[in-house]
Amino acid sequence: RFTGIREDSTCIGNIFAGKSFGNTVNVDMRGQGSINLDNTGLFVIGTVLVGVGGSASIVFSGIPQNFRNLEIRLKGRGDDPGTSILVLLRFNADAGANYDHAFMQQYGVYGAATFFAANEIRAGVIVAAGGPANSSDELGIQIGDYANVVSHKTLRASGGFKDGAASIGLRHVVGWWRNVAGITQITLLPGAGLFAQNTVATLYGLM
């Protein structure tokens, strides 16, 4: 069963072919579940829109294991009174010291750091309540070969943040989760305060 199929797409048996920006995507879903194809050619697994009052987390659970890679796109801000907050990430609700990551950042001056045996990955930075009014920032997170049960999981993330009228930062992150389990849940956490209302995150599957 397929849902959200675009008008320029066709479904023949268990083979789905969808056209996106002149390319053809051929996917054998083996008749399992529903898929949604957005106009980028990615398969939408789920979207979370933060409601009134904010949220202490954004969680994607029950992630299907029939894709090759995952991608998260987040756009929003925090409600902490500071100018910016970290966006933290955990897999499969694991809060143990099982994450390693490094970042490079341009924020006035260049900076970099590495973290070993951390309790989460510091995936990015977004503007908070003390930043410019009506500003919101984007963060993209890519997770490769997330369903394999042989090797530790890896990610890379990139995003920019504008936390002042004349203050902009750029941050790139690479990370590792010391676990061979397939990823079935992803949790995003604000480093301080809450994710503000209208923050939105979408999880995509890539074949």
Side-chain angles (χ1 to χ4, degrees), residues 171-185:
R171 187 181 181 101
H172 297 288
V173 177
V174 291
W176 293 260
W177 180 40
R178 303 178 186 182
N179 200 306
V180 299
I183 295 171
T184 58
Q185 179 175 309

Side-chain angles (χ1 to χ4, degrees), residues 70-74 87-89 91 101-105 121-125 138-144 154-160 170-176 188:
L70 299 175
E71 182 170 330
I72 299 170
R73 296 182 182 177
L74 179 144
V87 176
L88 311 177
L89 178 146
F91 294 128
H101 60 286
F103 76 83
M104 297 186 299
Q105 179 171 289
I121 292 174
R122 301 180 182 187
V125 176
E138 292 191 41
L139 174 64
I141 304 169
Q142 298 175 321
I143 305 160
T154 59
L155 69 75
R156 56 182 177 175
S158 182
L170 176 66
R171 187 181 181 101
H172 297 288
V173 177
V174 291
W176 293 260
L188 301 176

